[in-house]
Amino acid sequence: LNLCMGDFIPFRRRERPLVKAIRRHVKAAPRWATQFVYQLPSTVLGLLFYALLLASELIIHRDERLTVSACARQRPLIYLALALFVTSFILSFYGFLPCFKFLLHSP
């Protein structure tokens, strides 16, 4: 290669097959349609996190008084939500790997 200082090599970015299919079937696919495909997995993770927290909160509000059994039913849901959040946060640092690239796209 005959490269000088400041030269760069443009690499082709591979698109997801679903994005290619959208662009192939819809000639003028709007930008939000392709962004939706990229942001969908991280959005589902976020919604799952909030759904777990909401379910744990509803357990407490369903009982009129705070009891040990209500706390015992709430604890696994909170731990699961926390584990989901921490795992997705740590794995987002490995976004250069193809299987974790969806974590780089914020919902």
Side-chain angles (χ1 to χ4, degrees):
L1 292 176
N2 187 11
L3 296 176
C4 297
M5 184 67 103
D7 289 346
F8 64 93
I9 301 172
F11 293 100
R12 287 188 171 191
R13 297 170 65 180
R14 290 189 292 169
E15 284 186 330
R16 291 184 178 177
L18 186 58
V19 174
K20 282 184 181 180
I22 289 174
R23 287 186 188 226
R24 188 174 56 240
H25 292 303
V26 181
K27 299 295 182 202
R31 179 172 168 79
W32 63 267
T34 56
Q35 283 299 104
F36 175 76
V37 172
Y38 283 113
Q39 292 177 355
L40 185 65
S42 60
T43 303
V44 168
L45 278 179
L47 289 176
L48 182 62
F49 169 73
Y50 285 119
L52 287 170
L53 288 180
L54 180 64
S56 68
E57 188 66 27
L58 289 176
I59 287 174
I60 293 295
H61 284 293
R62 187 172 45 180
D63 296 335
E64 291 182 6
R65 52 181 188 244
L66 190 61
T67 61
V68 175
S69 65
C71 289
R73 285 181 291 166
Q74 183 186 25
R75 187 175 295 122
L77 291 175
I78 291 177
Y79 285 159
L80 187 60
L82 183 64
L84 178 71
F85 175 76
V86 169
T87 303
S88 64
F89 178 74
I90 290 172
L91 291 179
S92 70
F93 289 105
Y94 297 99
F96 59 89
L97 297 172
C99 57
F100 299 130
K101 193 172 285 279
F102 71 93
L103 292 170
L104 297 177
H105 300 281
S106 62

